[in-house]
Amino acid sequence: MSRARTADIQNPLLADWKTAFGLPPFGTIKSEQFRPAFDRALAAHRAEIDAVAADAAAPTFGNTIEALERGGRELDRVSNVFFVLAGADTSDAIEAVEREISPLLARHNNAFYLNRTLYARIADLFARRDSLGLNAEQARVLERYHTRFVRAGAALDKAAQDRLAALNERLASLGTQFGQNVLADEKGYALILEEADLTGLPDFARAAARAAAEERGHEGKYAITLARSSCETFLQFSSRRDLREKIFQAWIKRGENGGATDNRALIAEMVSLRAERAKLLGFETFADYRLDDQMAKTPANARKLLDEVWTRARAKARAERDALQTVVAEEGGNFALAPWDWRYYAEKLRKARYDLDEAEIKPYFQLDKMVEAAFETARRLFGLTFMPVNVSLYHPDARAYEVKDASGRHVALFVGDYFARPSKHSGAWMTSLRDQEKLAGEVTPIVLNVCNFTKPAAGEPALLSFDDARTLFHEFGHALHGMLSNVTYPLIAGTAVPSDFVELPSQLYEHWLEVPEILEKYARHAKTGAPMPKPLLGRLLATRTYGQGFATVEYTACALVDLDLHGLAKADGLDVADFEKRDLERIDMPAEIVMRHRLPHFQHLFSGGGYAAGYYSYMWSEVLDADAFEAFEETGNAFDPATAKRLRDYIYGAGNLRDPAEAYTAFRGRLPAVDALLKKRGLIDTAA
Ligand SMILES: [Zn+2]
């Protein structure tokens, strides 16, 4: 025993962190310390849960719900550190722990949510909820506990529970493997080029490709990788049709290359297990189960929105295709536009139509300036200030800022980790090392934004595309949702809201990037410091709805295929490739456009499964964000203080205090209509 105790004491994950802001002491943490730390934290949480369940006293809100809310702190700490690293700076050792730990965490969750004694206490409280003298937040937390336990299967018989537990563990392992396979395919590929192969590429793209090659040990050469910012830029600018095809094929084949990293069999199994799980819980399909506790409530409601958008988007995309095909013909090209041609000719046409090319815009979008712009927006809306602080993080590229409110009170620590690297999973996300709550005193959050922007060569400024800048604002909107959280109970803090509501704070925030006073101030040329010339800015904003047919089709196809796949009542023996192909035929997908995420690398659905039967959420939230921004526009002030206050009170600061429809209505005075979204994407004739 004494040896184990010594190990505990020496394990920095289990020590009290006497660091600035209570950050984990990253410099002293070793990957082999995670497993013992998880073991101890899991055991500690188990003991806490057992004590609540075994309490001889009759259930009260305090001895049951609050006691559960106080538990599991050590596990939260260890998990938060671990999953930040597993996403943003992983290694073979971390990946091995992740494979080991994911079924253990699933088992732990099962034991919690399938604990019948515990559920009996919660059900008893829920039945007496009106006579418990609870405040509104407590009532919401109790309702959430009850719903979560029921949805997890707490009320089912033992045999059904055993099967559910097995399904959950298996699904957790498969999800981990899925994400690791995608990362392996991405790490394992780079298109190594010579200078002569770079025709069409602007300077920033050449510099990034040179840096990527260097990082992979190919000095003096150029590498195009499967990171979205690397290969999309190449597809946009390279005049080498053969190379465009090559990188595009590699990109869309991630997770579908045969061998150990092929994800097709994993998907088939996951979809089948999810369908079985939904049945056990009394639902026809997984999609029905999943949406029952979302703002959309039913797949039919989600589909109604998607269908309305789809028909219009496809028509617009076909018109875009015809215009691009004309450019091909004008250049004397004798081929039908292929998926790897779309971005290249779209960029050409954009340049011709709006006298605007990405290479001309890009020097005006410096990463550092865009970070400042996101901060300035938060200052003007919510009175927040951001001061860089020098603290030790897990990677030298990550930077930290202390966040204070107008009165100088510490609100949060914000970490921005912006550059792509081989140890980072693809995509962009917000995560946290600590969440806001008041149950254990005033606990302030530590929130991270992790992105995959191209790292510049040494001495060069980091430049973003306009899309990258939008991603930065998007993730920062999520970050604010976490940082402004102002609730008592951890269960409902920050972003712990339904996934078709969670994209509202992020997508809404994107609107402020396009507010002229923000762009005028922060879109500054990297070399000269000059603001973006007014005509260029005007032309940039005029292109807002350019290419929206393509973008909407690329996205909506994914959302429809997701709902169809998870709408299968039975999925045994599913042929994933065949399903994807047939479903795209069914919805009449334009041949020149490929899903934004094909199933074999669709991490939203299969890497953890947070968005399984939930990819429609982005569109659902967009109905909300387009309508919500109109609330500011109607006042004639993009920073209108009264509207900003309601936004903070009911959305950014409110966590899951209220049902989403209720929260939105409190902010806006009514529920949203779809028109603002269609207008924003240029999918209806606004002149009509
Ligand atoms: Zn998001």
Side-chain angles (χ1 to χ4, degrees):
M1 270 333 276
S2 70
R3 233 176 52 210
R5 283 185 59 132
T6 317
D8 285 354
I9 291 161
Q10 286 169 350
N11 190 331
L13 287 162
L14 298 169
D16 245 353
W17 299 335
K18 306 231 185 297
T19 49
F21 306 104
L23 274 165
F26 285 109
T28 63
I29 296 171
K30 297 183 181 62
S31 42
E32 63 268 24
Q33 291 162 336
F34 278 108
R35 183 57 206 267
F38 268 118
D39 286 341
R40 199 184 87 168
L42 283 165
H45 191 211
R46 223 159 20 235
E48 287 164 346
I49 295 164
D50 290 346
V52 176
D55 194 338
T60 63
F61 187 82
N63 74 15
T64 305
I65 302 297
E66 242 173 44
L68 292 174
E69 284 288 275
R70 286 181 201 283
R73 295 307 159 91
E74 194 167 70
L75 182 57
D76 288 344
R77 272 185 357 154
V78 176
S79 306
N80 288 345
V81 179
F82 181 75
F83 286 107
V84 161
L85 295 179
D89 199 25
T90 192
S91 63
D92 290 347
I94 295 276
E95 289 201 333
V97 178
E98 198 182 1
R99 286 191 297 272
E100 243 176 73
I101 206 70
S102 64
L104 291 186
L105 288 174
R107 197 173 304 162
H108 181 74
N109 265 327
N110 284 335
F112 180 53
Y113 285 111
L114 300 176
N115 185 322
R116 306 167 78 87
T117 332
L118 197 55
Y119 174 64
R121 295 180 76 88
I122 293 165
D124 173 54
L125 286 170
F126 188 67
R128 297 187 284 119
R129 61 190 177 281
D130 293 333
S131 61
L132 297 173
L134 303 179
N135 66 31
E137 180 171 354
Q138 291 168 330
R140 175 76 173 162
V141 170
L142 173 57
E143 178 272 313
R144 287 283 84 206
Y145 263 95
H146 185 255
T147 302
R148 285 170 77 131
F149 270 75
V150 171
R151 284 178 55 78
L156 298 182
D157 65 38
K158 178 81 171 60
Q161 286 195 345
D162 288 347
R163 181 62 188 153
L164 269 180
L167 292 176
N168 292 342
E169 276 182 46
R170 180 69 185 150
L171 279 166
S173 289
L174 290 168
T176 302
Q177 191 59 55
F178 185 95
Q180 294 188 355
N181 286 346
V182 176
L183 183 61
D185 275 7
E186 287 172 355
K187 277 207 293 202
Y189 183 93
L191 182 62
I192 305 295
L193 301 175
E194 305 291 340
E195 180 140 22
D197 300 323
L198 305 183
T199 359
L201 292 199
D203 287 347
F204 74 83
R206 289 165 186 253
R210 195 171 53 229
E214 247 163 55
E215 198 168 11
R216 283 163 183 75
H218 299 277
E219 297 283 336
K221 305 220 174 197
Y222 299 84
I224 308 304
T225 73
L226 298 182
R228 185 173 283 276
S229 59
S230 176
C231 66
E232 271 193 339
T233 302
F234 190 81
L235 291 168
Q236 202 174 355
F237 291 107
S238 171
S239 54
R240 286 280 300 273
R241 191 162 191 248
D242 59 330
L243 295 177
R244 289 202 309 264
E245 179 174 3
K246 213 167 173 181
I247 190 82
F248 188 82
Q249 295 292 8
W251 196 34
I252 64 166
K253 293 286 274 182
R254 286 171 296 152
E256 200 187 50
N257 289 309
T261 60
D262 196 303
N263 273 331
R264 282 171 292 187
L266 269 65
I267 296 171
E269 190 180 348
M270 288 179 90
V271 173
S272 174
L273 298 185
R274 283 173 179 162
E276 185 185 347
R277 184 160 160 247
K279 279 247 161 57
L280 283 169
L281 291 162
F283 291 86
E284 190 69 28
T285 71
F286 180 78
D288 288 297
Y289 164 70
R290 176 64 202 257
L291 271 69
D292 190 53
D293 197 34
Q294 297 288 312
M295 192 174 174
K297 301 290 180 218
T298 66
N301 285 339
R303 201 179 287 277
K304 183 168 169 288
L305 168 64
L306 294 174
D307 284 344
E308 183 162 4
V309 171
W310 178 247
T311 317
R312 295 162 190 269
R314 209 180 35 193
K316 190 157 199 259
R318 295 227 154 100
E320 288 170 11
R321 177 203 56 199
D322 293 346
L324 299 181
Q325 189 67 59
T326 307
V327 181
V328 173
E330 279 167 5
E331 288 191 347
N334 185 24
F335 55 85
L337 190 83
W340 48 90
D341 299 320
W342 192 295
R343 289 172 178 81
Y344 178 69
Y345 288 98
E347 177 60 23
K348 283 202 158 189
L349 187 60
R350 184 165 76 141
K351 197 172 171 180
R353 262 194 206 165
Y354 300 94
D355 189 21
L356 196 72
D357 76 291
E358 183 79 28
E360 188 188 359
I361 304 162
K362 200 150 181 164
Y364 290 98
F365 288 99
Q366 300 173 64
L367 170 65
D368 291 353
K369 287 283 171 199
M370 287 301 113
V371 171
E372 272 182 50
F375 289 172
E376 168 73 2
T377 302
R379 186 187 68 75
R380 295 188 61 177
L381 287 172
F382 307 122
L384 300 179
T385 57
F386 297 78
M387 281 293 291
V389 287
N390 195 2
V391 291
S392 150
L393 297 164
Y394 54 92
H395 192 280
D397 283 348
R399 42 178 110 175
Y401 302 83
E402 183 177 12
V403 187
K404 291 185 174 170
D405 68 12
S407 68
R409 188 182 62 95
H410 173 90
V411 172
L413 192 74
F414 173 69
V415 174
D417 177 5
Y418 293 114
F419 296 129
R421 54 178 167 262
S423 66
K424 198 189 266 188
H425 281 250
S426 53
W429 62 93
M430 168 271 199
T431 183
S432 61
L433 282 162
R434 192 171 66 214
D435 295 317
Q436 183 272 334
E437 61 158 300
K438 295 178 199 165
L439 199 56
E442 288 278 348
V443 176
T444 58
I446 302 176
V447 172
L448 292 81
N449 274 172
V450 184
C451 299
N452 271 284
F453 302 141
T454 305
K455 190 174 179 176
E460 296 290 321
L463 300 179
L464 306 181
S465 67
F466 196 46
D467 264 358
D468 288 341
R470 199 177 281 126
T471 298
L472 188 148
F473 268 66
H474 178 103
E475 297 309 328
F476 194 71
H478 282 309
L480 285 172
H481 199 191
M483 294 192 289
L484 289 172
S485 178
N486 182 25
V487 300
T488 300
Y489 296 92
L491 183 80
I492 58 164
T495 54
V497 299
S499 56
D500 55 5
F501 192 67
V502 80
E503 297 302 328
L504 167 61
S506 52
Q507 294 182 170
L508 176 58
Y509 211 70
E510 294 175 33
H511 290 261
W512 278 284
L513 169 62
E514 296 190 357
V515 168
E517 40 196 312
I518 291 292
L519 277 181
E520 278 162 21
K521 193 162 170 198
Y522 293 97
R524 297 262 166 178
H525 196 279
K527 294 261 153 65
T528 66
M532 191 182 264
K534 277 245 161 71
L536 180 60
L537 184 61
R539 296 202 307 273
L540 174 65
L541 294 180
T543 63
R544 241 185 285 206
T545 55
Y546 176 75
Q548 278 300 315
F550 173 85
T552 311
V553 161
E554 192 197 38
Y555 161 82
T556 310
C558 292
L560 285 166
V561 170
D562 169 33
L563 276 184
D564 289 342
L565 185 65
H566 289 107
L568 294 173
K570 221 173 152 36
D572 305 344
L574 179 74
D575 179 336
V576 172
D578 185 61
F579 179 88
E580 184 186 279
K581 186 168 157 284
R582 280 170 196 274
D583 206 42
L584 291 172
E585 281 166 13
R586 185 191 72 75
I587 62 174
D588 198 9
M589 178 79 163
E592 303 82 2
I593 303 178
V594 171
M595 295 164 75
R596 184 170 173 85
H597 312 279
R598 290 194 53 234
L599 291 174
H601 49 257
F602 205 155
Q603 306 204 62
H604 298 75
L605 311 193
F606 303 112
S607 182
Y611 280 83
Y615 198 66
Y616 76 93
S617 296
Y618 294 94
M619 188 65 76
W620 189 271
S621 289
E622 195 175 324
V623 173
L624 301 172
D625 79 65
D627 184 72
F629 194 68
E630 282 196 346
F632 284 91
E633 286 179 327
E634 285 161 12
T635 70
N637 176 4
F639 301 96
D640 178 61
T643 312
K645 184 178 184 310
R646 285 202 309 277
L647 186 63
R648 181 179 184 155
D649 288 348
Y650 298 113
I651 311 283
Y652 283 88
N656 200 4
L657 264 177
R658 296 173 188 83
D659 173 79
E662 206 182 297
Y664 190 83
T665 307
F667 160 66
R668 188 67 164 117
R670 56 162 176 76
L671 283 169
V674 72
D675 309 51
L677 163 108
L678 297 175
K679 233 191 307 177
K680 175 184 159 195
R681 287 193 172 240
L683 298 177
I684 43 171
D685 189 358
T686 45

